[in-house]
Amino acid sequence: MATQHLDLEEQEQLDQLKHFWNQWGNLITWLLIVVLGAYAAWNGWQYWERRQAGLAAVLYDELERSAQAGELTRLERALADMKDKYGGTAYAAHGALLAAKVLYEKDKPAEAKSALAWVADKAPSDGLKAIARLRLASVQTGEKAYDEALKTLSASFPTQYMALAADRRGDVLLLQGKRSEAATEFGKAYQGLGSDSGDYRRLVGIKLNALGIDPEAGAKAGATS
C-alpha cells in the first residue's frame, strides 16, 4: 500500500509538471534563448572590441614610428587606414592627434586641421574631442582665422576643460581688440581653474592684470556674466 501511495504521489507530481510545462514551457524556452543569445552577443562584442583595439594598436605603432622618422607619406597612410578601419577606437583618435602635431610642425596646416576636426567629431570620448577642439582653435588662431577659432571654441566642453576653453576665447577676443569681452573670458578661466592650478592660473591672472583688472574681481565678473 505504501508503495502504491508513493506511486500515486509521483504520478500526481508528474502530471503537475506536465501541466506546468504545457502552460509555460514555450515561454521559458524563449526566455532562455533570449538570455543565452544576449550573453553570446555580449561575449562576441567584447571579443570584437578587443580584436579591433589590438589591430588598431598595431597601426598606431606604425603611425608613431612614421612620426618619429618624419615620414609624412607613411604617417598619412597609417592615419587614413586607422580612420577607415578602426575609427571608433581611442587609438585612432590618439593617432590623429599625434599626426596633426607632426603635420603642423611640417608646415601642413590644412592636413593638421583636418585631422583635428576628425577627432573633434569622431573621437569615442568627450575628453579627446575637447583636446582636439582646443588644438584646432590654436591652429586657427595662428592663421588669424579668429571667427573660425571662436566657432570651434563655442562647442560644448566637459567641465574639466571649460576654463581652458574660456582662456583660449579670451586670447582670440583680445587679438580682435575686444578687451572687455576678453577680460570676461579670462575671468571665467581664472575662477574655473581654481587655486590648485598653479602656474596656469597665475598666467591668466597676469593677462587680467595687463588689462587693468584685479584677478579676483575678474573672476567675480566672469561668474556673474
Side-chain angles (χ1 to χ4, degrees):
M1 290 292 294
T3 302
Q4 184 179 4
H5 178 69
L6 191 59
D7 289 342
L8 288 173
E9 283 188 349
E10 290 177 350
Q11 186 61 48
E12 287 178 1
Q13 290 174 355
L14 286 172
D15 290 341
Q16 290 173 358
L17 181 60
K18 288 178 182 178
H19 177 72
F20 175 83
W21 189 254
N22 287 335
Q23 186 173 1
W24 300 105
N26 285 338
L27 177 60
I28 292 171
T29 300
W30 280 110
L31 284 174
L32 284 172
I33 290 172
V34 170
V35 170
L36 293 174
Y39 179 73
W42 171 253
N43 280 340
W45 173 254
Q46 291 291 305
Y47 170 78
W48 183 84
E49 279 201 325
R50 288 194 298 270
R51 185 173 183 274
Q52 291 291 98
L55 293 171
V58 173
L59 266 179
Y60 181 84
D61 287 342
E62 169 66 14
L63 187 148
E64 193 172 37
R65 286 193 297 270
S66 302
Q68 291 170 352
E71 297 180 2
L72 297 189
T73 301
R74 282 177 55 200
L75 180 141
E76 290 183 279
R77 184 168 58 246
L79 176 60
D81 287 344
M82 289 186 77
K83 289 163 60 177
D84 180 51
K85 298 175 182 177
Y86 313 110
T89 66
Y91 279 108
H94 283 291
L97 290 174
L98 175 58
K101 178 178 181 295
V102 175
L103 290 165
Y104 185 74
E105 290 172 349
K106 296 294 184 179
D107 199 27
K108 300 188 75 171
E111 290 81 354
K113 287 190 295 183
S114 176
L116 291 170
W118 182 83
V119 178
D121 184 49
K122 301 293 186 181
S125 76
D126 290 338
L128 287 169
K129 289 179 179 179
I131 291 169
R133 290 191 184 107
L134 290 169
R135 294 184 184 179
L136 177 58
S138 292
V139 175
Q140 292 166 333
T141 302
E143 296 179 333
K144 298 184 179 180
Y146 302 137
D147 290 338
E148 290 182 19
L150 288 174
K151 182 178 179 181
T152 298
L153 293 168
S154 68
S156 176
F157 282 84
T159 302
Q160 63 269 37
Y161 292 95
M162 286 181 178
L164 298 177
D167 180 47
R168 296 290 172 84
R169 286 195 297 270
D171 289 337
V172 178
L173 290 165
L174 190 58
L175 288 167
Q176 290 181 315
K178 300 175 181 178
R179 293 169 62 87
S180 178
E181 294 175 45
T184 298
E185 294 300 325
F186 288 142
K188 291 177 183 178
Y190 189 83
Q191 183 187 47
L193 287 167
S195 58
D196 59 343
S197 298
D199 291 340
Y200 198 128
R201 192 172 195 245
R202 282 193 289 274
L203 176 60
V204 177
I206 290 170
K207 295 178 184 180
L208 284 166
N209 280 324
L211 292 170
I213 297 172
D214 175 78
E216 293 301 325
K220 292 175 184 176
T224 57
S225 63

